[in-house]
């Protein structure tokens, strides 16, 4: 019988706080684990970057950057991101553990999926949560039934945000990607059947469920259209459509509240036939009844005034905050929602229109949709050639272009990350619904030289167009001739023929020989040590005046940097002394001994004290 391969992370403790347990899932980001947070005593989810990506500096940067962005998003329906960091060779992020039933299990029959209102309630809560993320410029990108959790109240929560996306994908996911994913969820909830994500036509649940209201078909078909251009722009816009359909559908009867009322049958034969009065005798009675009804109507009108009403003012061109204040001043408790729209004349942020339109009569609690201008649909592409990729992104966003595709190209003339060209070209008019392609100089990615000899390292750098600068230095654990360090680190990007410093081990430090002359005084011995240290040339300015003591031994007290202490937290750039050598922290770390022998660990060996 085969023995299953043990999980490389399960049971590990990150930074002395997060105890990793069962693996929940894996994706392009890494593996997610249920974990125990010792500091709070709660269950959390910890996503650990794949080991083969830890040496990929751009991947680590993207992973930690997205985790940091997600920490800024807060909504009851989103699993909050709580922390991120690095513990040795493990890069990780921590998010809240949402309790409830995964939608994937709900679809197996634990939920009455064929009731449209209940399905729409789940979908509306998913969209409310997604709307909060989309408002911060963050997409989920991998929303599936196993990443949606349904609580006891029937509302849904979203978890499983990927921290990296598969580079093999044709296009980066955007808000319309999330909308299609929600459409697939709605189709599954209505029909009870999982939808095919690769379907090339808009999905219509009426093909599987008879007598389905056409509005539901419209909701699913609009969201699952293969062409993103025809889908709702984002979660907020789709939520508006869902809520409209929810209001248009008649609500189902409450559970256990079936209408058992029946009209009481009356046999006409058992009732005596009414006698008719002569017309002349009925006229006074009818006139009196009319007067009585009129009096009662007038009295009732006075005693029971009509519900408050107001007319919707014309808010065109008014800023969103002012428009909302004006509607609030009507005193009707209106539900005000917003959606984005292009407009050629109204300044961004101003009201371009409303639903219903100006002059409509509003009653208490009515909903008003305000269309806010995001400026014209077409704009001139700014000139970003020669700028860095980040600078180009900022300028394009300021011009209104939010869809930006990056194509990396080799360039011997430009530094890595420099924009070489754009499509459309600078000064040309671009459609803000279409992506702007920026071509960026890729440079050369520095390979990992871990475990190589000097000859192998020089050859590896030469083959990718980089220049090796060899530096020799003693090392306690790396064999002579082996690479003990490199600068810059693996994954960094350099221009072609850029230099990489390769530190090659010359073996451990030689032990100092005892003094041959017994007449030498300790001060003379100390002086000799200082001379040797000066001749070695590997000091960093901290060696003067710190002799090795009798017997040639070294200890932490001969270093100017504070001694390393277990349990102490060290930030990036801090220096410590340990076993006669000085180390500098590459990143935040704790309980990582400096001379552990890990080549790419959190400590950089700065030489003897």
């Amino acid at each position: 019988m085969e023995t299953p391969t043990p999980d490389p992370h399960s049971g590990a403790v990150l930074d002395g706080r997060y105890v990793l347990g069962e693996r929940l899932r894996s994706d392009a980001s890494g593996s997610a684990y249920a974990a125990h947070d010792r500091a709070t005593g709660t269950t959390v989810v910890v996503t650990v970057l794949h080991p083969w990506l830890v040496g990929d500096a751009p991947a680590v940067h993207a992973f930690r950057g997205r985790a940091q962005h997600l920490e800024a998003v807060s909504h009851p329906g989103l699993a909050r991101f709580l922390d991120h960091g690095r513990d040795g060779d493990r890069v990780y992020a921590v998010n809240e553990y949402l309790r409830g039933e995964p939608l994937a299990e709900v679809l197996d029959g634990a939920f009455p999926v064929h009731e449209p209102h209940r399905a729409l309630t789940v979908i509306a809560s998913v969209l409310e949560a997604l709307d909060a993320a989309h408002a911060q410029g963050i997409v989920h990108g991998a929303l599936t039934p196993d990443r949606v959790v349904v609580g006891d109240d029937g509302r849904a929560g979203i978890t499983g945000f990927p921290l990296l996306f598969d580079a093999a994908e044709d296009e980066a996911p955007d808000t319309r990607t999330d909308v299609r994913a929600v459409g697939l969820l709605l189709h599954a909830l209505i029909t009870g059947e999982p939808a095919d994500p690769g379907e090339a036509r808009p999905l219509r649940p009426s093909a599987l469920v008879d007598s389905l209201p056409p509005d539901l078909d419209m909701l699913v078909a609009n969201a699952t259209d293969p062409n993103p251009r025809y889908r709702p722009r984002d979660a907020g816009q789709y939520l508006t459509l869902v809520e409209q359909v929810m209001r248009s559908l008649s609500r189902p009867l409450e559970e256990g509240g079936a209408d058992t009322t029946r009209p009481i049958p009356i046999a006409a034969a058992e009732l005596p036939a009414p006698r008719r009065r002569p017309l002349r005798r009925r006229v006074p009675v009818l006139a009196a009844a009319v007067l009585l009804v009129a009096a009662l109507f007038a009295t009732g009108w006075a005693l029971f005034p009509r519900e408050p009403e107001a007319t919707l003012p014309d808010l065109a061109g008014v800023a969103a905050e002012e428009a909302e204040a004006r509607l609030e001043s009507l005193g009707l408790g209106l539900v005000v929602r917003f959606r984005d729209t292009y407009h050629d004349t109204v300044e961004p942020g101003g009201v371009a229109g409303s639903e219903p339109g100006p002059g409509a009569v509003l009653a208490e609690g009515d909903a008003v949709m305000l269309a806010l201008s995001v400026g014209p649909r077409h704009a001139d592409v700014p000139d970003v050639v020669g700028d860095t990729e980040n600078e180009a992104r900022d300028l394009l966003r300021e011009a209104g272009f939010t869809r930006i595709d990056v194509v990396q190209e080799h360039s011997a003339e430009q530094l890595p990350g420099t924009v070489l060209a754009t499509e459309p070209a600078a000064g040309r008019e671009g459609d803000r619904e279409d992506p702007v392609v920026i071509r960026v100089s890729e440079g050369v990615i520095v390979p990992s030289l871990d475990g190589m000899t000097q000859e192998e390292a020089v050859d590896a750098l030469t083959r990718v167009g980089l220049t090796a600068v060899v530096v020799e230095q003693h090392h306690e654990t790396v064999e002579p001739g082996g690479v003990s360090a490199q600068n810059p680190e693996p994954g960094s990007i350099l221009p072609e023929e850029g230099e990489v410093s390769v530190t090659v081990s010359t073996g451990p430090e030689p032990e100092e020989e005892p003094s041959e002359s017994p007449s030498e005084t300790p001060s003379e011995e100390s002086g000799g040590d200082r001379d040797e240290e000066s001749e070695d040339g590997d000091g960093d300015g901290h060696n003067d005046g710190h002799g090795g003591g009798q017997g040639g031994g070294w200890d932490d007290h001969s270093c100017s940097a504070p001694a390393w202490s277990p349990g102490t937290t060290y930030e990036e750039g801090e220096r410590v002394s340990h076993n006669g050598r000085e180390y500098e922290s590459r990143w935040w770390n704790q309980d990582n001994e400096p001379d552990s022998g890990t080549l790419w660990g959190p400590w950089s060996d700065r030489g003897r004290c």
Side-chain angles (χ1 to χ4, degrees):
M1 186 177 84
E2 289 188 11
T3 302
T5 303
D7 190 285
H9 302 305
S10 183
V13 181
L14 302 184
D15 287 329
R17 176 173 177 176
Y18 304 109
V19 184
L20 303 187
E22 176 188 4
R23 183 166 61 178
L24 303 177
R25 59 182 168 270
S26 292
D27 56 23
S29 312
S31 296
Y33 298 82
H36 176 70
D37 184 352
R38 289 175 172 175
T40 62
T42 59
T43 300
V44 295
V45 176
V46 177
T47 302
V48 183
L49 184 66
H50 287 308
W52 56 85
L53 293 175
V54 173
D56 185 342
V60 173
H61 178 75
F63 181 96
R64 300 181 70 172
R66 181 161 160 88
Q68 189 172 5
H69 290 159
L70 285 165
E71 288 172 15
V73 181
S74 178
H75 187 276
L78 296 176
R80 292 179 300 124
F81 272 73
L82 309 169
D83 189 15
H84 68 280
R86 180 166 187 162
D87 184 353
D89 57 356
R90 291 186 175 99
V91 179
Y92 68 90
V94 183
N95 67 267
E96 182 183 14
Y97 182 87
L98 291 185
R99 300 192 179 278
E101 189 171 16
L103 193 59
E105 297 178 11
V106 169
L107 294 174
D108 288 338
F111 187 77
V113 297
H114 298 286
E115 298 185 16
H117 267 284
R118 296 197 176 187
L120 290 176
T121 297
V122 172
I123 291 301
S125 57
V126 169
L127 289 170
E128 287 174 4
L130 272 181
D131 189 28
H134 288 180
Q136 298 290 329
I138 293 175
V139 299
H140 189 289
L143 195 62
T144 52
D146 62 330
R147 301 188 187 214
V148 176
V149 176
V150 180
D152 295 337
D153 59 355
R155 295 181 62 81
I158 300 175
T159 187
F161 275 79
L163 295 171
L164 287 178
F165 293 109
D166 191 347
E169 294 289 338
D170 293 335
E171 294 184 1
D174 59 10
T175 55
R176 285 183 167 91
T177 307
D178 285 347
V179 167
R180 186 170 194 272
V182 176
L184 296 175
L185 294 178
L186 179 56
H187 180 276
L189 283 171
I190 293 173
T191 64
E193 298 291 337
D196 179 9
E199 177 61 50
R201 296 176 299 175
L203 296 174
R204 296 189 178 276
S206 60
L208 299 175
V209 179
D210 295 331
S211 304
L212 193 71
D215 284 348
L216 285 176
D217 243 19
M218 176 273 296
L219 274 182
V220 175
N222 281 0
T224 58
D225 196 297
N227 189 339
R229 188 182 296 276
Y230 301 130
R231 301 175 204 155
R233 182 181 299 111
D234 53 25
Q237 190 176 35
Y238 194 32
L239 177 61
T240 300
L241 298 176
V242 169
E243 289 176 334
Q244 289 174 352
V245 173
M246 291 178 72
R247 287 193 295 269
S248 71
L249 295 177
S250 58
R251 289 192 174 278
L253 295 171
E254 297 293 332
E255 292 183 8
D259 188 358
T260 58
T261 305
R262 296 288 184 273
I264 301 174
I266 300 177
E270 297 177 359
L271 298 179
R275 293 186 299 170
R276 298 179 62 85
R277 294 184 179 182
L279 181 61
R280 64 178 180 273
R281 297 181 63 184
R282 284 185 285 148
V283 169
V285 176
L286 291 173
V290 170
L291 292 174
L292 178 60
V293 170
L296 290 174
F297 183 78
T299 303
W301 186 267
L303 294 177
F304 304 100
R306 294 175 298 173
E307 291 186 1
E309 294 179 343
T311 301
L312 180 63
D314 186 356
L315 302 172
V318 175
E321 296 79 6
E322 183 181 348
E324 194 171 12
R326 287 192 191 180
L327 293 175
E328 185 178 353
S329 69
L330 298 178
L332 298 179
L334 300 173
V335 178
V336 182
R337 292 192 174 277
F338 301 93
R339 66 176 178 86
D340 292 337
T341 187
Y342 296 111
H343 202 279
D344 291 334
T345 58
V346 176
E347 291 293 322
V351 176
S354 63
E355 299 172 12
V361 177
L362 302 174
E364 187 167 3
D366 279 355
V368 177
M369 173 66 71
L370 297 180
L372 301 182
S373 170
V374 293
R377 176 163 176 171
H378 296 86
D380 291 341
V381 176
D383 186 1
V384 296
V385 175
D387 293 339
T388 65
E389 179 184 331
N390 289 336
E391 291 170 342
R393 286 181 180 274
D394 291 341
L395 290 172
L396 288 168
R397 289 193 184 102
E398 290 175 9
F401 298 99
T402 56
R403 299 183 59 192
I404 302 170
D405 293 344
V406 177
V407 176
Q408 293 189 337
E409 297 179 351
H410 285 287
S411 173
E413 294 79 21
Q414 298 293 339
L415 292 174
T418 303
V419 177
L420 306 175
T422 62
E423 299 172 8
R428 295 287 183 89
E429 190 177 72
D431 187 337
R432 293 168 60 188
E433 286 288 301
D434 294 336
V436 174
V437 178
I438 57 175
R439 300 188 178 278
V440 179
S441 174
E442 182 181 44
V444 180
I445 299 176
V446 177
S448 172
L449 308 178
D450 186 15
M452 295 185 182
T453 64
Q454 176 179 335
E455 293 76 13
E456 292 170 339
V458 172
D459 180 62
L461 294 173
T462 302
R463 280 189 284 108
V464 296
L466 297 175
T467 302
V469 178
V470 178
V471 177
E472 294 186 343
Q473 190 176 74
H474 293 296
H475 199 281
E476 299 298 323
T477 58
V478 177
E479 292 291 326
V483 176
S484 61
Q486 71 179 87
N487 186 31
E489 294 183 352
S492 303
I493 299 178
L494 293 178
E496 292 186 10
E497 299 184 359
E499 293 185 349
V500 178
S501 175
V502 182
T503 303
V504 177
S505 171
T506 58
E509 295 257 9
E511 294 185 4
E512 295 187 10
E513 297 180 0
S515 173
E516 296 182 358
S517 173
S519 62
E520 288 182 347
T521 63
S523 61
E524 290 173 340
E525 293 177 8
S526 300
D529 286 342
R530 285 196 297 271
D531 291 342
E532 290 175 9
E533 183 66 23
S534 175
E535 291 173 2
D536 285 342
D538 62 353
D540 56 3
H542 299 294
N543 300 329
D544 294 342
H546 297 284
Q550 292 185 7
W554 292 85
D555 56 42
D556 289 341
H557 298 290
S558 64
C559 299
S560 61
W564 174 79
S565 173
T568 301
T569 297
Y570 295 98
E571 302 293 339
E572 180 181 352
E574 286 193 57
R575 292 198 176 195
V576 298
S577 57
H578 190 59
N579 293 338
R581 303 187 72 81
E582 189 165 326
Y583 298 87
E584 182 176 333
S585 176
R586 289 193 175 106
W587 53 77
W588 183 97
N589 74 91
Q590 185 181 40
D591 287 336
N592 290 282
E593 190 172 357
D595 61 352
S596 61
T598 303
L599 182 58
W600 308 120
W603 293 104
S604 173
D605 190 342
R606 310 305 296 179
R608 286 198 307 168
C609 295

